[in-house]
Amino acid sequence: MLTLGIDIGSTTSKCVLLEDGERIIGTELLVAGIGTIGAEKIMETVLKKAKLSRNDIDYVMATGYGRRNFDPANGELSELSCHAKGVLFTNPQVRTIIDIGGQDAKVLRINDKGILENFMMNDKCAAGTGRFLDVMANILQMPVNELEKRAELAEKPAKISSTCTVFAESEVISQLATGETVENVIAGICNSVASRVAGLAKRVGIKEEVFMSGGVAQNGGVRKALEKELKVPIKWSETSQMMGALGAAISAYEQVKKRGVLNE
């Protein structure tokens, strides 16, 4: 049985192709907005690489911001459920998930069956999200993936006190103008994101093990700052950004098994 999960995020679409609910046989990631053109392209790409067609797939489950507008999907599901399923599939001992995406940040506490016990979400402000890091990287005129390396060189992280992205932008420019080092400013930016997300996590109630999913999981500066804020180790993987799509593919498999219908 073949199922496909697609996570249509605000900045990136992710896709996972799953065989019999257990074996990942294809993954793909494409930087694109919530429009369905990017999602359709990524699905075509992962199927082409696997030498399959849409008719070979028993169920397509969509999640993420653009899930309701993706016509090729058989069903759609909240990213909360999908991230929980994806993370537990790869890390069964995880009980708290911190997901920092392009436009929001979520903290989920789950039990050993993957059932959501509590969660908090910040989707009203860009502070504490990947968008915040993108804006700051643009100010500093460097790729966002360079922030981690430069943050490690900081001697004394700058204090970024503004919780609003617009004001924080002005604050960063002002600090650089008064002679603060770029490295200290970057470390301060990472600390600012961590502080914002840690506030959500503390309200949810941290239960170990803790895992970080989403694209910002790849930023070591933010991860390390979060570990300091929460005083717990945080697990992650190179596939952290694929957890929502993986959970969607697993949910698709569960739907087919439940209905007992293939290739609908």
Side-chain angles (χ1 to χ4, degrees):
M1 185 192 307
L2 296 173
T3 57
L4 187 144
I6 184 161
D7 180 2
I8 308 170
S10 59
T11 59
T12 309
S13 290
K14 290 79 65 176
C15 191
V16 171
L17 186 58
L18 199 63
E19 183 178 45
D20 296 331
E22 296 182 351
R23 190 168 75 92
I24 298 172
I25 60 174
T27 64
E28 199 68 33
L29 181 149
L30 177 67
V31 177
I34 61 174
T36 57
I37 294 177
E40 290 177 1
K41 182 177 180 180
I42 196 174
M43 188 173 77
E44 290 173 3
T45 301
V46 78
L47 291 176
K48 184 176 180 180
K49 287 183 177 180
K51 298 181 180 180
L52 297 168
S53 71
R54 173 64 180 87
N55 292 332
D56 295 315
I57 308 302
D58 295 295
Y59 201 100
V60 175
M61 183 71 78
T63 190
Y65 278 99
R67 66 183 185 271
R68 293 186 177 91
N69 301 316
F70 189 59
D71 292 338
N74 299 100
E76 51 97 359
L77 193 62
S78 160
E79 58 263 36
L80 297 177
S81 298
C82 291
H83 274 271
K85 284 182 182 294
V87 171
L88 276 184
F89 180 84
T90 56
N91 297 268
Q93 304 306 313
V94 168
R95 296 295 173 265
T96 303
I97 301 168
I98 297 173
D99 171 37
I100 306 179
Q103 297 286 355
D104 69 15
K106 299 180 282 289
V107 181
L108 294 67
R109 195 179 74 223
I110 56 179
N111 63 19
D112 59 354
K113 299 184 186 300
I115 297 174
L116 193 64
E117 294 182 332
N118 196 9
F119 80 95
M120 292 288 294
M121 178 186 296
N122 165 35
D123 61 354
K124 304 299 183 185
C125 175
T129 70
R131 175 60 181 161
F132 181 83
L133 293 173
D134 287 340
V135 170
M136 297 302 136
N138 186 57
I139 294 171
L140 298 168
Q141 298 183 332
M142 66 178 64
V144 70
N145 58 11
E146 192 177 326
L147 296 179
E148 175 182 353
K149 299 175 186 176
R150 300 292 291 272
E152 291 176 351
L153 301 175
E155 295 179 355
K156 184 180 180 181
K159 180 69 174 178
I160 309 296
S161 57
S162 301
T163 57
C164 170
T165 302
V166 176
F167 292 141
E169 182 176 357
S170 297
E171 190 173 357
V172 166
I173 293 171
S174 176
Q175 290 191 356
L176 291 171
T178 56
E180 186 61 270
T181 68
V182 172
E183 288 75 17
N184 285 348
V185 168
I186 292 173
I189 290 167
C190 292
N191 288 347
S192 176
V193 173
S195 176
R196 186 85 172 187
V197 176
L200 293 178
K202 290 172 182 176
R203 278 183 276 170
V204 168
I206 291 292
K207 184 188 293 186
E208 296 189 57
E209 295 179 353
V210 181
F211 185 91
M212 193 169 172
S213 64
V216 178
Q218 298 173 16
N219 187 307
V222 175
R223 289 198 317 273
K224 292 169 186 175
L226 259 174
E227 288 182 329
K228 289 180 181 178
E229 286 277 349
L230 298 175
K231 297 179 173 59
V232 295
I234 296 177
K235 300 180 68 175
W236 74 290
S237 77
E238 295 291 342
T239 59
S240 282
Q241 201 167 2
M242 308 299 295
M243 291 299 120
L246 174 58
I250 295 169
S251 296
Y253 173 77
E254 293 171 348
Q255 281 295 316
V256 177
K257 291 286 287 185
K258 181 179 179 180
R259 296 181 184 185
V261 178
L262 305 183
N263 289 316
E264 65 174 51

